[in-house]
């Protein structure tokens, strides 16, 4: 069977993984150990099939393979499999892998599936970049007692921006009641009220005006209950942003809340859309906001300055805006605004 095309071998591995035969796991594991280490994709498929069977004698071999090929596609698939198997017994060796030796995102995903909330809360937070995987697991479960540690990492400008952004997203999602399990996101609990510490961290991130600021603003729009204070962020901070707002990173709210925000911000928004001297970055952000909270009067403001706005956001986006602003409010539950083109 070694000469079969890869696609057929993948199908065979999947079929065995769904088998009810008592010896399916043993035979599949024998196949796994016979495969060349260079055949990472096939090894990964067999690994996932063993996880589907929950064939636990394979766990020590998975860990050994991970040590040898940790930063590979196979390493990712092994971590996914260990998470699906909730292989708690493998955790000590996983956490002992040196920093940079394993993909922290997939490790964090595996840990969040392996451990209960009580188990996670008992894990000591580690210093430096290597602690990211544990923090990611904390965030996905939504453990309130470690919010300070999570926010400390997110606010630490010496940490990679990609990691800070991911951790912020995961923490905000868990506060909104969403959990990620086996690669799927579902609404599992009611939205929690934001703590003063979380809101303070968001205001700090917004005030930095850097690449993380638009994402932090999205969560202020979602969690800040004081709409007057939120409006001041748009008035004072958004004009200083060095990166434009994008619709999906600006709002995840129902239509009623967006309508309240729109009533406050539309005059400010129209003023910048009408001005020929509005900086390109700000004009790009205003286009994204217009998609979310604009009305027909917002379209009139764009029309009065159409050549300038179109030069920034592009002709296609102008067409999208016209359709949206002249056809009523955005969808009621999840609002996904258009992606304006960043100015050069």
């Amino acid at each position: 069977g070694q000469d079969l095309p890869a696609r057929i071998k993948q199908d065979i591995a999947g079929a065995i993984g769904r088998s009810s035969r008592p010896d399916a796991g043993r035979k599949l594991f024998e196949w796994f150990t016979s495969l060349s280490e260079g055949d990472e994709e096939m090894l990964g498929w067999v690994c996932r099939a063993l996880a589907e069977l929950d064939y636990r004698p394979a766990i020590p071999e998975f860990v050994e393979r991970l040590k040898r090929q940790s930063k590979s596609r196979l390493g990712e698939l092994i971590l996914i499999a260990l998470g699906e198997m909730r292989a708690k017994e493998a955790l000590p060796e996983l956490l002992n892998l040196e920093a940079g030796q394993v993909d922290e995102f997939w490790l964090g995903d595996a840990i969040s599936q392996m451990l209960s909330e009580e188990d996670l809360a008992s894990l000591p937070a580690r210093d430096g970049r290597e602690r990211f995987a544990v923090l990611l697991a904390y965030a996905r479960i939504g453990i309130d007692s470690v919010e300070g540690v999570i926010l400390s990492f997110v606010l630490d400008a010496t940490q990679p921006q990609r990691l800070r952004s991911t951790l912020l997203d995961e923490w905000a999602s868990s506060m909104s009641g969403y959990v990620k399990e086996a690669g799927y996101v579902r609404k599992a609990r009611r939205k929690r009220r934001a703590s003063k510490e979380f809101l303070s961290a968001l205001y700090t991130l917004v005030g930095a005006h850097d690449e993380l600021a638009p994402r932090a603003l999205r969560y202020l729009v979602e969690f800040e209950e004081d709409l007057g204070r939120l409006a001041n962020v748009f008035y004072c901070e958004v004009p200083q942003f060095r990166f434009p707002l994008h619709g999906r990173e600006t709002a995840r709210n129902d239509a009623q809340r967006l309508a309240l925000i729109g009533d406050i911000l539309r005059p400010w928004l129209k003023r910048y859309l009408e001005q020929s001297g509005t900086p390109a970055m700000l004009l790009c952000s205003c286009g994204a906001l217009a998609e979310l909270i604009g009305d027909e009067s917002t379209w009139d403001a764009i029309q009065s300055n159409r050549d300038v706005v179109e030069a920034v956001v592009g002709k296609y986006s102008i067409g999208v805006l016209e359709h949206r602003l002249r056809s009523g409010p955005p969808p009621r539950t999840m609002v996904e605004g258009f992606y304006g083109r960043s100015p050069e």
Side-chain angles (χ1 to χ4, degrees):
Q2 297 299 320
D3 295 329
L4 291 173
R7 181 71 255 178
I8 294 178
K9 289 194 286 186
Q10 290 169 8
D11 289 342
I12 292 172
I16 297 175
R18 295 186 294 272
S19 173
S20 59
R21 288 172 57 97
D23 62 344
R26 179 180 58 79
K27 289 184 177 298
L28 199 58
F29 183 58
E30 290 173 356
W31 186 14
F32 180 81
T33 56
S34 72
L35 289 168
S36 165
E37 288 197 358
D39 195 358
E40 290 190 8
E41 200 64 31
M42 194 61 238
L43 281 164
W45 278 98
V46 179
C47 173
R48 296 295 301 280
L50 284 164
E52 192 165 347
L53 288 170
D54 195 27
Y55 187 71
R56 307 196 76 78
I59 291 173
E61 178 64 20
F62 286 171
V63 174
E64 289 304 313
R65 295 283 183 126
L66 181 63
K67 290 177 181 178
R68 297 199 298 268
Q69 296 174 270
S70 57
K71 297 291 279 188
S72 65
R73 173 62 177 159
L74 177 59
E76 293 178 4
L77 292 169
I78 288 174
L79 285 170
I80 292 171
L82 290 171
E84 290 174 343
M85 297 170 79
R86 289 174 166 77
K88 183 178 176 180
E89 61 269 37
L91 186 60
E93 290 198 72
L94 296 182
L95 291 178
N96 282 332
L97 291 172
E98 295 181 8
Q101 200 178 357
V102 66
D103 187 291
E104 296 175 41
F105 293 94
W106 289 115
L107 178 56
D109 186 71
I111 292 172
S112 68
Q113 294 184 67
M114 289 176 185
L115 302 184
S116 66
E117 183 171 334
E118 293 75 19
D119 291 332
L120 272 172
S122 67
L123 284 178
R126 304 172 71 182
D127 294 328
R129 228 186 120 175
E130 65 226 30
R131 71 178 180 177
F132 176 78
V134 175
L135 292 178
L136 186 63
Y138 287 157
R140 286 187 173 163
I141 298 297
I143 302 176
D144 289 330
S145 62
V146 296
E147 181 182 57
V149 181
I150 290 171
L151 296 180
S152 177
F153 187 98
V154 171
L155 291 170
D156 184 356
T158 67
Q159 298 289 351
Q161 190 271 341
R162 182 173 68 111
L163 302 187
R164 297 168 65 207
S165 177
T166 298
L167 198 57
L168 176 62
D169 287 345
E170 295 291 348
W171 184 247
S173 290
S174 71
M175 290 188 62
S176 297
Y178 294 94
V179 296
K180 185 175 181 181
E181 294 179 347
Y184 297 95
V185 178
R186 65 183 180 88
K187 185 81 171 179
R189 50 182 174 258
R190 300 182 69 176
K191 179 178 177 180
R192 306 201 304 273
R193 188 174 186 178
S195 67
K196 292 180 180 179
E197 292 75 17
F198 182 52
L199 291 175
S200 176
L202 293 177
Y203 280 108
T204 298
L205 293 170
V206 166
H209 308 146
D210 59 12
E211 193 171 358
L212 206 52
R215 189 172 296 268
L217 179 59
R218 165 188 174 172
Y219 298 124
L220 274 180
V221 169
E222 183 170 356
F223 290 103
E224 177 57 87
E225 297 176 1
D226 186 339
L227 295 186
R229 189 181 183 195
L230 177 62
N232 281 331
V233 172
F234 283 90
Y235 302 153
C236 301
E237 305 292 355
V238 172
Q240 302 181 68
F241 277 13
R242 299 192 297 274
F243 295 85
L245 300 179
H246 297 302
R248 290 180 187 171
E249 296 176 3
T250 306
R252 182 174 62 186
N253 298 276
D254 61 34
Q256 184 178 8
R257 179 167 172 81
L258 281 177
L260 293 172
I261 295 171
D263 289 343
I264 297 171
L265 292 180
R266 267 192 293 273
W268 169 86
L269 176 62
K270 288 160 58 178
R271 183 172 74 251
Y272 279 117
L273 288 169
E274 291 170 338
Q275 291 177 1
S276 59
T278 299
M281 189 68 68
L282 178 55
L283 200 55
C284 192
S285 294
C286 287
L289 288 173
E291 172 78 6
L292 293 171
I293 63 173
D295 59 12
E296 285 203 52
S297 67
T298 312
W299 175 246
D300 292 340
I302 292 172
Q303 281 287 77
S304 70
N305 194 26
R306 180 165 183 150
D307 290 345
V308 174
V309 177
E310 187 172 307
V312 172
V313 304
K315 188 172 183 178
Y316 173 78
S317 292
I318 284 288
V320 173
L321 277 170
E322 180 176 11
H323 175 74
R324 153 67 185 92
L325 298 177
R326 301 182 72 178
S327 62
R332 194 174 71 84
T333 52
M334 179 69 81
V335 178
E336 296 184 357
F338 89 115
Y339 276 71
R341 177 168 58 85
S342 297
E344 300 296 332

